[in-house]
Amino acid sequence: MRILVLTGAGVSAESGIPTFRGKDGYWRNLDPTKLATADAFARDPQLVWDWYGERRRRIRNARPNAAHEAIARLAHHTDEFLLVTQNVDDLHARGGIPAQKMVQIHGDIFVTRCSRCEFERYDYRPSQSYDAAGEHEHPPSPRLRRTSRPRLQVAFACET
């Protein structure tokens, strides 16, 4: 049997991760054009990094909920299983979904990537504390400097 599961922000809301458009969603009090676009990053990279830093901390402090765990159980009992999620958090993975059975279509908030040189790094491993992961205002790679950001829908080019 083949199973395809699609999830969005609602599945992680029970873990305390705000949705974007819901009652207490991010975009109720924040302007997405000031935080989630290439122009916003070019104007104020510090503001964008601060926002992503807050989101990363919130995700690290969250725990997978019953929905994440139920989907993981289904994945483990099905050979042909695929989870396609809009979520950039890692709660499905921490809930037990194997990487080969999951696609994060909007990216992973813990991956920093440069679109020009394709440098990429994972800024957090579940086996370490978030502080030990080295949360940086800007990644230390000389190739990335202020133009790198979490690998989500928009990637930014490094300085040359």
Side-chain angles (χ1 to χ4, degrees):
M1 173 174 19
R2 291 184 193 170
I3 296 180
L4 172 67
V5 176
L6 306 171
T7 66
V11 76
S12 292
E14 286 294 317
S15 293
I17 306 301
T19 64
F20 284 89
R21 292 176 195 87
K23 177 180 163 254
D24 295 318
Y26 281 116
W27 298 152
R28 293 288 182 203
N29 298 313
L30 302 170
D31 180 354
T33 64
K34 292 182 179 172
L35 296 168
T37 66
D39 289 341
F41 193 79
R43 273 192 313 274
D44 194 346
Q46 184 63 54
L47 175 66
V48 173
W49 269 110
D50 288 348
W51 184 60
Y52 282 120
E54 182 278 324
R55 290 179 64 203
R56 285 174 164 187
R57 281 185 290 282
R58 184 182 296 256
I59 291 165
R60 292 304 343 129
N61 290 328
R63 298 288 173 250
N65 62 50
H68 296 109
E69 293 165 358
I71 295 167
R73 281 193 304 276
L74 183 60
H76 289 288
H77 289 94
T78 308
D79 291 331
E80 293 188 61
F81 177 94
L82 181 63
L83 167 67
V84 178
T85 183
Q86 295 182 51
N87 296 353
V88 298
D89 63 53
D90 64 347
L91 295 176
H92 281 299
R94 287 194 282 147
I97 298 283
Q100 67 273 18
K101 292 188 174 190
M102 178 174 58
V103 175
Q104 289 177 283
I105 61 174
H106 292 307
D108 182 332
I109 198 167
F110 294 107
V111 175
T112 301
R113 177 179 176 227
C114 173
S115 62
R116 183 173 297 158
C117 68
E118 298 303 315
F119 174 83
E120 190 171 274
R121 78 165 195 217
Y122 198 82
D123 291 332
Y124 174 83
R125 296 277 181 232
S127 62
Q128 66 188 154
S129 72
Y130 187 69
D131 291 335
E135 174 65 9
H136 298 284
E137 178 179 303
H138 302 292
S141 169
R143 293 184 295 169
L144 295 177
R145 293 191 198 106
R146 295 172 52 109
T147 57
S148 64
R149 66 168 268 190
R151 186 190 66 166
L152 299 177
Q153 292 178 356
V154 180
F156 295 86
C158 67
E159 298 172 7
T160 54

